[in-house]
Amino acid sequence: MIRTREDLKKRTELANEVMASYDCRILVCSGTGCIASGSEKVYEEFMRIVGDTPGVTLEFGSHGPEAHLGVRKTGCQGVCELGPLVRIQKGDKVVQYTKVQPSDCQEIFNRTVMGDDVIESLLYKQKGVTYTSPDEIPFIAKQTRIVLENCGKYDSESLDEYLASGGFQAFQKALFEMKPEEIVDEVDRSGLRGRGGGGFPTGRKWKQVARQKEKERYVVCNGDEGDPGAFMDGSVMEGDPYKLIEGMMIAGYAVSSENGYIYVRAEYPMSVARLRHAIAELEDKGLLGDHILGTDFNFHMHINRGAGAFVCGEGSALTASIEGNRGMPRVKPPRTVEKGLWAKPTVLNNVETYANVPKIVLQGADWYRSIGTESSPGTKTFSLTGSIQNTGLIEVPMGTTLREIIFDIGGGMKDGGTFKAVQIGGPSGGCLTKDHLDVPLDFETVKKYGAIVGSGGLVVMDDSTCMVEVARFFMSFTQRESCGKCVPCREGTKRMLEILEKIVGGKGELEDLDRLEELATMVKNMSLCGLGKSAPLPVLSTLNTFRDEYIEHIVDKKCRAKVCTALRRFVINPEFCRGCGKCAKNCPVGAITGVRKECYHIDNDICIKCSTCKDNCAFDAIYIEA
């Protein structure tokens, strides 16, 4: 048990001693992406090899001349596309291996763990350059990691390894060296803003809760990360759960709360499992519960699983769901800081926001303000996905440009494609184009261009993307996720989706564009909650920037990206056609006619655009007309 600050100090010293004792650590990425690629089998194979090798030990103790090795599961190591990822750490030397298979483990063990050789074929490569250390890889080297600092370096389930990384130093400082109001002031001075999308000043929110007359208060974490393509919060909960909990504990002490709730989306079972393990470990050691470290501070943690409703990312809907009610937003005021969970004052921030708190308390507001921009200090995590060379999880200073993220960190466009746009902020965000490549990504600047930073999802699109279809896809998502409580969102998004489906279906009219804008403005201005207010942003931003594509769909009945099925026109190239008749035999509606050994013809009035003919042509004679 850790009953006092001195007990915690001794436990930390022992944890550091254990970490220093390792001759080598084998760090296997166990983020969701790598597990999906097979990293569990890689971990098991390393455990088998180490266990079967004479002269090595996995246990800390008096191992004499034996090699002391550690095989550990870490959180996300970042370069998700190249998993399973394995790091071999020998002192200050770290080797990053990519796409590791169980069959590679013995060679890695023989050559790198027990020797000093590296396996070139498993190293990270970009534009003809091979990188050995993770800190040399452009994708990682160009980042500034605060929230993700521990991910990929430590065992995400080990309290001792978290202590060895500096864990709970901030909590000790807050508990023994600072008054609650001093903590709130420090967070306020740091300029930390909510990383869940709205960007509301965190310190101001804490102050509003701290000054409420009601003494029963709650600290709630929004882990309901619902944006398509976003996995930042999930990676933190999986890869560094103790940091999130420490941030919430500091918040609890700062606003005099004794209970913290983490609301996690149902699609994140690993996050739930690792958080539960961390909470149980802290309760067992006495770092959660009553009279923490011998003080009068009590704090208890609870986990609630969401049922998958996107709208429960909204504060009042989230607290209603925790209470066991249907997750629906309510009219404000009163706001969550006044009447939140069970109608009590509530601090509600997202995972990334809380994960910033320990560093701010430990290193001070001035340090935090030295990173990022004046109005948006600190860093921001982004999930980088889409038509880009390097997909994965990144963290960069606020104010970093899209050009730096896409071309320096992301390695540029995949397969030689041309950058067209990036969807930022998920289904409630907007599109930024090549004209915005040098725009700094911070809360105020992005808003000027009809988009939002949101939770941090970046979906990069090339010239093979149809922007009308992008708008339809995101509108389909938000319309389906609308709780239906308010008419503007429930009916407005439905009408907008119908118009977009009409346009991609080749039946659009120019008047539809005016209707779309009118509906979008109404939904944005009159919806009850943030979901409805931001739902039209993808439509408004694509209409503003890619209006020519909308007009092309309506007037010319063409989709330049050849994505919209109803607007495809299949053509047979007479230069390549051999008159074999295979396309006609496979056409399900008899739209193809001709004479053998002569060029066949496709009647596009009959054609159902199924692409069967193109898929079955052995001579690549059938193409989609631009």
Side-chain angles (χ1 to χ4, degrees), residues 283-304:
E283 288 174 340
D284 181 63
K285 299 299 184 292
L287 286 174
L288 276 177
D290 296 330
H291 303 294
I292 298 172
L293 297 182
T295 69
D296 292 331
F297 177 55
N298 308 321
F299 199 71
H300 302 266
M301 293 289 300
H302 316 269
I303 295 178
N304 287 78

Side-chain angles (χ1 to χ4, degrees), residues 95-98 107 111-112 117-125 128-132:
V95 177
Q96 177 77 68
Y97 285 133
T98 64
E107 185 179 8
R111 293 176 58 181
T112 309
D117 196 9
V118 296
I119 304 168
E120 291 280 336
S121 61
L122 294 177
L123 294 176
Y124 181 95
K125 299 176 184 65
V129 181
T130 300
Y131 300 91
T132 302

Side-chain angles (χ1 to χ4, degrees), residues 6 22 35 139 163 202 204 251 315 335 404 443 449 594 617:
E6 186 61 29
Y22 288 113
I35 286 180
F139 184 88
L163 293 176
T202 303
R204 191 188 306 174
R335 300 195 173 275
E404 293 174 90
F443 291 108
Y449 298 98
C617 181

Side-chain angles (χ1 to χ4, degrees), residues 228-419:
F231 48 87
M232 300 79 60
D233 288 352
S235 295
V236 174
M237 290 187 284
E238 292 173 7
D240 205 359
Y242 292 102
K243 180 182 284 186
L244 164 61
I245 294 169
E246 183 178 6
M248 292 183 69
M249 291 171 70
I250 293 171
Y253 178 66
V255 301
S256 301
S257 168
E258 294 191 354
N259 285 282
Y261 288 80
I262 307 176
Y263 188 87
V264 189
R265 64 187 287 101
E267 294 88 341
Y268 282 171
M270 192 182 303
S271 296
V272 173
R274 290 184 181 170
L275 284 168
R276 282 178 174 164
H277 172 85
I279 291 170
E281 185 75 3
L282 291 170
E283 288 174 340
D284 181 63
K285 299 299 184 292
L287 286 174
L288 276 177
D290 296 330
H291 303 294
I292 298 172
L293 297 182
T295 69
D296 292 331
F297 177 55
N298 308 321
F299 199 71
H300 302 266
M301 293 289 300
H302 316 269
I303 295 178
N304 287 78
R305 299 186 67 177
F310 181 68
V311 75
C312 284
E314 193 274 340
S316 58
L318 184 150
T319 53
S321 181
I322 292 176
E323 293 166 359
N325 300 314
R326 181 179 175 186
M328 298 177 75
R330 58 169 169 77
V331 177
K332 306 173 192 65
R335 300 195 173 275
T336 307
V337 293
E338 299 158 345
K339 291 189 176 182
L341 187 60
W342 286 297
K344 304 296 182 182
T346 301
V347 167
L348 175 58
N349 289 119
N350 85 320
V351 173
E352 186 180 349
T353 309
Y354 285 120
N356 271 291
V357 170
K359 275 279 192 177
I360 291 173
V361 169
L362 205 56
Q363 296 189 220
D366 293 337
W367 163 80
Y368 194 74
R369 276 202 167 276
S370 70
I371 305 167
T373 67
E374 179 63 28
S375 62
S376 300
T379 59
K380 180 74 189 79
T381 62
F382 291 98
S383 58
L384 197 55
T385 61
S387 303
I388 192 166
Q389 289 286 355
N390 303 320
T391 60
L393 184 66
I394 67 171
E395 183 177 0
V396 294
M398 278 285 196
T400 302
T401 66
L402 273 178
R403 188 183 301 278
E404 293 174 90
I405 291 175
I406 294 171
F407 293 98
D408 294 345
I409 296 175
M413 305 304 292
K414 183 178 286 186
D415 301 327
T418 302
F419 173 74

